[in-house]
Amino acid sequence: MKRIHLLILFTLLVTPLLASAQDENVLLPSVFRMNRLGTEYQGWNNCGPATLTNALVHFGYEDDQNRAAHWLKPDGEDKNVSPWQMAEFVNTQIPEIPVYGLVRSGGTIELLQTLMVNDFPVVIEKGYEPSGYDWMGHYLLLSGYDDQLEEFSSMDSFKGPNTRYSYENINKYWQHFNYTYIVLYTADREGELMELLGVDADEWQNHINTLEMARAEAIAHPEDAHAWFNMGSSFVNLGMYDVAAQAFDQAISLGLPWRMMWYQFGPYEAYYRTGRFDDMIAIVRQNQNDGGGHFVEETWYYLGMAREGRGEFEKALQNYNTALNFNPNFRPAREAKERLAAQSG
């Protein structure tokens, strides 16, 4: 009953914010294949840098995945690279070509097709369960599609070129990351890309539209933990932290993959903003004890935020330093350390 009451509340919160989605009734070819994508397999734990590198080949990029890895995850054991970091690498670290990256959520199969047909490389973040492995996060570079077979082809850095996934598989596992996608484009085509994105070109409106997608999924399937988690993530992006925390509570109570907090950090943000510092620390401890979350700089950053919220400033500073020792390019930890130093100095 509590879940139904929450969904009614979320409906009242969302309805005034909604805008019409972009017109997707555009005639697309039934079969399409992109050209000029890289085919480099990932190194150990290097899915993000390898996938991004393979997408950049489309624009004449000539370096291998090590360049991106050196900046995105200086420690080879780092278990996560977030979409905003991938875009930041493209936007700030490749001065030799005028390529940019844009991150949005709430994508659809037809939008992915539209972007590819218009020659925009697109990477999605999704859940991944290859044979012999537990659930994990994964980046996938799409290379084409076939409507008759209802499948995408991809450059999967783990499995190799022309790895195929059904539309059903993509939707199922893409939902685990709120249908997040990264589009690469050149400066001269920015206006064209924004037109294709329609109302989702505006980042704020995109958060609202993504929230509505998750809410509709939770209404249809109230036991879907990912739908609740995605609502929480969108509420965080909209600054609505109280209801975000409630949505995350529901998602956690329904059960999430044990690696979930290696990749997505909305619960930390919601709990921090609502003063639930002990709950943040509990997630950190779980991450540190599960065999891999220890190697995620966000774990240490959010531990520092929780310590700072509790007034434990020396411990917070130590945590921020640990995050920066792990990844000196992790901007949130650097900014938090500087803020804390300014307050105490």
Side-chain angles (χ1 to χ4, degrees):
M1 185 65 68
K2 180 181 178 183
R3 292 169 193 159
I4 300 301
H5 289 164
L6 282 174
L7 286 170
I8 293 172
L9 170 63
F10 294 164
T11 300
L12 294 174
L13 288 167
V14 172
T15 301
L17 302 174
L18 295 178
S20 299
Q22 69 266 32
D23 180 10
E24 293 186 344
N25 296 318
V26 177
L27 185 61
L28 296 170
S30 60
V31 178
F32 182 78
R33 184 66 182 259
M34 289 197 75
N35 296 316
R36 307 188 314 278
L37 298 175
T39 58
E40 185 177 2
Y41 284 77
Q42 69 183 68
W44 164 251
N45 204 32
N46 216 39
C47 148
T51 302
L52 190 57
T53 298
N54 286 328
L56 286 167
V57 167
H58 187 75
F59 303 96
Y61 186 71
E62 296 181 348
D63 282 294
D64 64 18
Q65 64 188 280
N66 292 321
R67 176 177 174 182
H70 180 75
W71 192 85
L72 288 167
K73 39 175 299 179
D75 191 310
E77 291 295 331
D78 190 347
K79 304 301 182 186
N80 173 67
V81 173
S82 294
W84 70 265
Q85 292 174 294
M86 301 263 279
E88 189 165 292
F89 172 78
V90 176
N91 294 339
T92 67
Q93 301 299 310
I94 313 176
E96 69 270 25
I97 51 177
V99 178
Y100 298 90
L102 174 146
V103 180
R104 291 291 184 269
S105 55
T108 64
I109 294 293
E110 189 162 359
L111 177 60
L112 296 177
Q113 294 173 328
T114 299
L115 292 170
M116 284 191 290
V117 167
N118 284 276
D119 207 34
F120 291 104
V122 59
V123 171
I124 64 172
E125 187 176 23
K126 62 188 288 291
Y128 200 52
E129 291 182 288
S131 178
Y133 292 85
D134 289 342
W135 182 97
M136 65 185 76
H138 190 55
Y139 287 107
L140 188 68
L141 173 61
L142 301 177
S143 59
Y145 65 85
D146 187 321
D147 279 338
Q148 184 174 1
L149 298 176
E150 294 190 346
E151 65 181 20
F152 282 103
S153 57
S154 72
M155 174 50 217
D156 185 330
S157 64
F158 187 79
K159 294 184 176 180
N162 202 35
T163 300
R164 297 178 178 272
Y165 293 97
S166 68
Y167 294 170
E168 181 181 8
N169 178 280
I170 291 294
N171 269 330
K172 174 183 176 180
Y173 286 102
W174 194 18
Q175 184 217 17
H176 298 176
F177 284 85
N178 217 5
Y179 306 100
T180 293
Y181 57 99
I182 305 168
V183 188
L184 302 187
Y185 63 97
T186 51
D188 61 308
R189 299 192 66 203
E190 181 176 11
E192 184 180 349
L193 173 60
M194 295 305 174
E195 185 175 350
L196 291 173
L197 293 176
V199 294
D200 286 313
D202 180 83
E203 189 171 10
W204 184 259
Q205 188 61 54
N206 177 244
H207 295 323
I208 295 169
N209 296 339
T210 304
L211 172 59
E212 171 59 11
M213 287 180 65
R215 187 189 66 85
E217 290 179 343
I219 289 174
H221 305 285
E223 305 302 313
D224 185 344
H226 293 290
W228 288 95
F229 193 95
N230 291 343
M231 274 197 292
S233 297
S234 293
F235 275 127
V236 163
N237 289 332
L238 292 166
M240 303 170 72
Y241 299 109
D242 287 333
V243 285
Q246 295 177 60
F248 286 128
D249 288 343
Q250 290 293 341
I252 292 169
S253 72
L254 288 167
L256 294 163
W258 64 271
R259 288 189 174 112
M260 193 72 162
M261 306 305 181
W262 290 15
Y263 310 105
Q264 300 190 73
F265 311 105
Y268 288 122
E269 290 286 344
Y271 295 160
Y272 175 76
R273 299 286 184 167
T274 54
R276 293 172 56 177
F277 308 125
D278 290 346
D279 289 330
M280 294 174 66
I281 293 173
I283 297 174
V284 168
R285 296 305 181 212
Q286 179 181 343
N287 268 6
Q288 290 176 331
N289 293 329
D290 65 15
H294 183 86
F295 299 105
V296 176
E297 62 264 30
E298 288 88 350
T299 298
W300 297 102
Y301 165 70
Y302 283 109
L303 179 58
M305 294 289 284
R307 295 297 193 194
E308 189 174 347
R310 287 169 45 157
E312 301 170 358
F313 301 120
E314 288 189 12
K315 289 183 177 179
L317 184 59
Q318 292 173 4
N319 297 145
Y320 296 146
N321 281 329
T322 299
L324 289 170
N325 288 337
F326 197 63
N327 184 352
N329 300 317
F330 187 63
R331 175 165 41 84
R334 183 175 65 252
E335 292 174 351
K337 178 181 176 179
E338 292 171 352
R339 183 193 66 246
L340 189 57
Q343 291 173 355
S344 62

